[in-house]
Amino acid sequence: MRWPWQRAARTIGCPRPCRLPSLEAGVPFEATFTLTWRPALRHRINLAEQVRSDLRAAAAEVTAGLQPDDPLGAEDTLNAVLGTLDRRRNPHYRLLSAKFTLRLSPTVRETLAVRRADTERIRRLEFLKTALYDHPDLVVIDRIEGTSALPDEDRVADLQRLSRAIRSCNAWWHPLLEQWEAVGAGFQDPETRHEAMKVLLRHSISDLTAATAPQDRAAPDGRAG
């Protein structure tokens, strides 16, 4: 219903799909829309273009904060927000309704799929580093689990030996290598680093031998010294 002094409502759309930004940089939505509006008694020329421009700008503010993975959900959110706009704030027209339709072009969908695959691969690599390869014995379990059939006894024995070797390396050689890296960081010359490694190795063996020697070892004549 409209009052006699009011102008008739007008409906306009977009000549061609327009691009609206999403939260994902470089992955825009393609939008089409239908707008119903009523001009004021005195209105400016080219008012239809102003209505289109105003609504595209308002829509872009909303979609810039929406993920592109679910275009239908983004579309519902956009239309819900546009439905709450103050329809009386523009002196030249009154917006009666706005309906946007969002989709992703085939090229944009492909770009998004590649990005999501890369993100998932990075997430998995980070998981493997923190939850698997920081615990080397789990690598062996992962190899067994990844086979289509249970390995034979020889293969199991090899994996068990590998696990023991990794565990032994973590317990003994890994701390030693960490110390070597700390010592070597203070020398620029490779030969000096090598000499520092030999000194570190000699002291390590000496300290280990002293720590594992019997405490009650005595001299041959029964006296210490």
Side-chain angles (χ1 to χ4, degrees), residues 98-210:
K99 172 64 176 179
F100 274 75
T101 300
L102 301 180
R103 73 181 190 94
L104 300 181
S105 69
T107 301
V108 169
R109 283 201 303 269
E110 183 178 351
T111 299
L112 183 61
V114 170
R115 289 191 184 182
R116 291 296 180 258
D118 289 342
T119 300
E120 178 59 23
R121 182 171 181 273
I122 292 172
R123 186 201 65 77
R124 175 166 174 76
L125 290 175
E126 290 176 345
F127 168 78
L128 290 175
K129 180 182 181 300
T130 57
L132 186 60
Y133 290 102
D134 284 351
H135 303 279
D137 48 340
L138 291 180
V139 177
V140 177
I141 299 175
D142 178 64
R143 292 297 180 270
I144 295 175
E145 185 183 36
T147 58
S148 58
L150 290 177
D152 55 30
E153 293 183 1
D154 291 339
R155 180 60 174 163
V156 171
D158 290 341
L159 292 174
Q160 288 175 339
R161 281 192 291 270
L162 174 61
S163 179
R164 289 194 298 270
I166 293 174
R167 188 183 297 274
S168 176
C169 177
N170 275 354
W172 295 98
W173 294 109
H174 187 265
L176 182 63
L177 292 175
E178 283 187 334
Q179 293 300 319
W180 158 234
E181 289 181 356
V183 171
F187 305 100
Q188 299 298 325
D189 181 30
E191 293 185 2
T192 306
R193 290 183 179 181
H194 184 65
E195 290 300 322
M197 178 61 181
K198 291 194 292 185
V199 171
L200 179 62
L201 182 61
R202 285 198 299 270
H203 281 286
S204 298
I205 294 175
S206 176
D207 291 347
L208 180 61
T209 302

Side-chain angles (χ1 to χ4, degrees), residues 39-61:
L41 292 179
R42 294 182 180 180
H43 62 83
R44 54 188 300 179
I45 61 174
N46 297 326
L47 186 56
E49 290 304 319
Q50 181 185 350
V51 176
R52 288 192 185 97
S53 178
D54 289 348
L55 267 293
R56 280 198 299 264
E61 291 182 5

